[in-house]
Amino acid sequence: FALVLIVALIFEASYRRQTQPRMVTKHIHLGVGLLTLAYIIWILDHTRLVCFEDSLLQGHALWHLLGAVSVWFLHRYYESETT
């Protein structure tokens, strides 16, 4: 997952250098930050370093919730593009 995210960010940076669109960059920073946090939480849960099996809110669930919020921020980022 991390490798796919890094490759996507490289493509995004290349696109921004070539076309220089005007976009609200705080949205992509928040989106990528949340995805990174979600991935860290998922790793901690998956490796059972921090795992609460009996809890209503588990690491895997947080992964999905933070991922969904991240997608919303990424959508806001792409929606803000003007050339």
Side-chain angles (χ1 to χ4, degrees):
F1 176 78
L3 181 61
V4 171
L5 181 59
I6 290 168
V7 169
L9 289 173
I10 290 170
F11 279 115
E12 181 63 27
S14 173
Y15 168 76
R16 287 184 55 80
R17 265 188 251 119
Q18 290 174 3
T19 61
Q20 299 196 358
R22 287 184 229 134
M23 301 170 102
V24 181
T25 57
K26 72 176 180 180
H27 296 310
I28 195 165
H29 294 139
L30 287 168
V32 171
L34 285 174
L35 269 180
T36 303
L37 177 62
Y39 187 60
I40 291 168
I41 290 170
W42 180 81
I43 289 172
L44 291 173
D45 182 63
H46 185 70
T47 58
R48 299 197 180 273
L49 290 174
V50 178
C51 182
F52 305 105
E53 293 179 3
D54 297 329
S55 173
L56 180 61
L57 192 57
Q58 298 177 6
H60 192 82
L62 280 174
W63 154 259
H64 284 287
L65 292 173
L66 291 173
V69 175
S70 172
V71 168
W72 182 76
F73 277 116
L74 293 174
H75 170 74
R76 296 278 315 266
Y77 168 72
Y78 288 115
E79 187 177 55
S80 73
E81 179 178 2
T82 58
T83 53

